Amino acid sequence: MNFVSADPRGVDAGPHFMDGDHALAEGALAAGCRFFAGYPITPSTEAAERFAERAPEVGALFIQMEDELASIAALIGAAWGGKKVMTVTCGPGFSLMVENIGLAVMTETPLVIANVQRGGPSTGLPTLTAQQDMMQAKWGPHGDNAIIALSPDSPQECFDLAIEAFNLSEFYRVPVIILTDETVGHMHEKVVIPPADQIQVVPRNNYSGPKEDFRPYKFDGQGGHPMTQAGDGYNFHITGLVHDERGYPVMTPEQGKTVVTHLMEKINGNADKIVRLAEDQVDGADVVVVSYGITSRIAVKAIQDARNEGIKVGSLRLITIWPFCETRIRELAGKVKAIVVPEINYGQMVLEVERCAAGKCEVISVNHCGGAVHDPEVILDAIRKASK
């Protein structure tokens, strides 16, 4: 990736005391996001409000659309108009966005969506936390596709990962989803925003060659391909149909294989460059707790108590959710007695852990359906049982 320093206009440098939702907006502005279309929905609305408040200061545009369908459609249009773009939502709104997430995948449109998860299904628990949209983020759109998803565990990481989300989205030209949750979104903590010259962002890779040679697509399973913006005199086509390198429909099985293989490979084939994990005392552990988001912070108490009891337990936190850290889980499964997976749903990411562990170790799910975080004692009990 090629990086440049952030635009100082979007960087409110210094220490702040803010919640995760506000930090998402600040991270987006620092990353160069200059277009935000959204529809208010608890518990994500504060991010939209923050962006709307700051937009005039930095030359950005905020539009409250009539619903989530229109919001993400506006993002796709604005991205092809040359802007870095973002929206925020939660479960019911995310469900409405799913069809156009598929369109963004197919048209290789860079955009960032923050899903501040709340309890579901349907309108569920608007003001209470959950982690129930993990699988929907990956499998929501129909057809084979690959996206990137990140999961912050603090307001500081909401800021940091918002920048990373934009960088990944720009390079791989793919929707990147920030899967945070109500607790992190409404949690107030210290957030330190660095000066602009210390924030590295991936700029839009604008094509600069002869107009007749421009191709909006290259099906090589890699990222880094240039775009141009509508209205600059380039002739190309944007469609959700299987297409050629100019974007024009070519609806044959052979072209379908070419396009879809590229869409999958540019993410899955580069997983080792995309996946980020945070590990603590994993080497030599009998038990590893695999967690993400707010649950990883609850797990810290259980892990510390288990260590005080003499149990060799490590922590592996998923910062990148999708693509999944398959290689690392396979490595650990052959070395530990058990992997414990706490999450605020009825068992989603644990299915990925079980798949990758492939029976080499016990996998214990510690789940509940949302509305509150775990009691650390429940996770501790699972660690105790796993260590025997």
Side-chain angles (χ1 to χ4, degrees):
M1 294 185 192
N2 295 319
F3 293 94
V4 299
S5 296
D7 178 354
R9 294 180 302 165
V11 180
D12 190 9
H16 301 264
F17 186 66
M18 65 173 62
D19 67 17
D21 282 354
H22 285 193
L24 286 169
E26 290 295 339
L29 289 165
C33 178
R34 295 295 181 264
F35 182 86
F36 187 118
Y39 186 76
I41 185 168
T42 303
S44 69
T45 303
E46 291 87 343
E49 292 174 338
R50 180 73 168 193
F51 194 98
E53 180 182 4
R54 293 260 287 126
E57 303 171 8
V58 301
L61 179 63
F62 172 89
I63 299 179
Q64 179 177 319
M65 304 299 291
E66 62 267 37
D67 56 30
E68 290 85 352
L69 296 167
S71 298
I72 192 164
L75 256 58
I76 294 172
W80 281 99
K83 301 296 184 183
K84 289 186 176 181
V85 299
M86 181 188 193
T87 191
V88 299
T89 190
C90 68
F94 191 80
S95 295
L96 293 173
M97 292 181 179
V98 161
E99 181 180 3
N100 272 337
I101 292 175
L103 177 61
V105 169
M106 190 56 149
T107 57
E108 300 190 57
T109 303
L111 56 85
V112 174
I113 305 166
N115 180 349
V116 187
Q117 297 172 87
R118 72 189 203 189
S122 189
T123 45
L125 299 169
T127 62
L128 300 178
T129 198
Q131 296 174 315
Q132 299 175 346
D133 304 340
M134 311 306 291
M135 286 293 180
Q136 187 189 28
K138 178 175 176 60
W139 301 111
H142 61 275
D144 289 316
N145 67 90
I147 53 89
I148 298 171
L150 310 173
S151 181
D153 74 344
S154 67
Q156 180 68 59
E157 224 173 50
C158 284
F159 175 83
D160 297 339
L161 293 188
I163 295 171
E164 184 164 336
F166 274 94
N167 288 346
L168 291 167
S169 181
E170 288 294 322
F171 183 77
Y172 290 103
R173 286 179 52 180
V174 67
V176 176
I177 301 164
I178 302 173
L179 286 165
T180 185
D181 54 75
E182 183 277 335
T183 307
V184 173
H186 286 166
M187 177 190 298
H188 281 76
E189 286 187 337
K190 182 179 180 181
V191 175
V192 178
I193 298 178
D197 61 2
Q198 296 178 21
I199 298 174
Q200 298 294 293
V201 302
V202 175
R204 176 63 51 85
N205 183 10
N206 289 312
Y207 176 79
S208 58
K211 289 186 176 179
E212 62 272 19
D213 292 340
F214 174 67
R215 298 290 183 272
Y217 302 107
K218 185 176 182 180
F219 307 120
D220 60 356
Q222 299 298 321
H225 301 314
M227 297 178 68
T228 188
Q229 62 185 56
D232 276 359
Y234 292 86
N235 294 319
F236 59 95
H237 194 74
I238 301 297
T239 177
L241 294 169
V242 169
H243 46 266
D244 61 18
E245 291 188 344
R246 301 171 304 156
Y248 287 90
V250 180
M251 291 175 285
T252 65
E254 294 77 13
Q255 190 64 14
K257 179 181 179 181
T258 297
V259 172
V260 177
T261 300
H262 163 69
L263 296 177
M264 302 291 284
E265 277 300 305
K266 72 175 180 178
I267 304 302
N268 296 334
N270 289 291
D272 60 334
K273 301 174 185 175
I274 297 170
V275 171
R276 284 186 55 204
L277 306 169
E279 299 189 11
D280 178 43
Q281 299 187 35
V282 169
D283 292 338
D286 291 327
V287 179
V288 170
V289 177
V290 174
S291 59
Y292 55 88
I294 187 58
T295 304
S296 64
R297 295 184 63 162
I298 305 303
V300 168
K301 167 65 173 169
I303 291 168
Q304 289 175 339
D305 289 347
R307 287 172 180 167
N308 291 338
E309 296 178 10
I311 299 173
K312 295 180 180 178
V313 55
S315 170
L316 187 151
R317 180 164 70 90
L318 307 178
I319 298 173
T320 306
I321 300 295
W322 306 113
F324 188 66
C325 55
E326 299 183 1
T327 302
R328 188 58 178 139
I329 295 297
R330 290 193 180 103
E331 290 173 351
L332 290 175
K335 299 177 181 178
V336 303
K337 292 180 180 177
I339 298 175
V340 174
V341 186
E343 51 186 339
I344 310 174
N345 54 55
Y346 269 147
Q348 296 192 17
M349 299 310 296
V350 69
L351 301 176
E352 286 294 279
V353 176
E354 288 175 342
R355 177 177 66 84
C356 297
K360 293 180 179 178
C361 71
E362 186 179 8
V363 177
I364 300 173
S365 177
V366 185
N367 59 65
H368 70 77
C369 71
V373 298
H374 285 75
D375 180 343
E377 192 68 25
V378 175
I379 302 174
L380 176 59
D381 284 343
I383 295 172
R384 289 176 179 139
K385 293 174 184 175
S387 68
K388 295 178 180 176

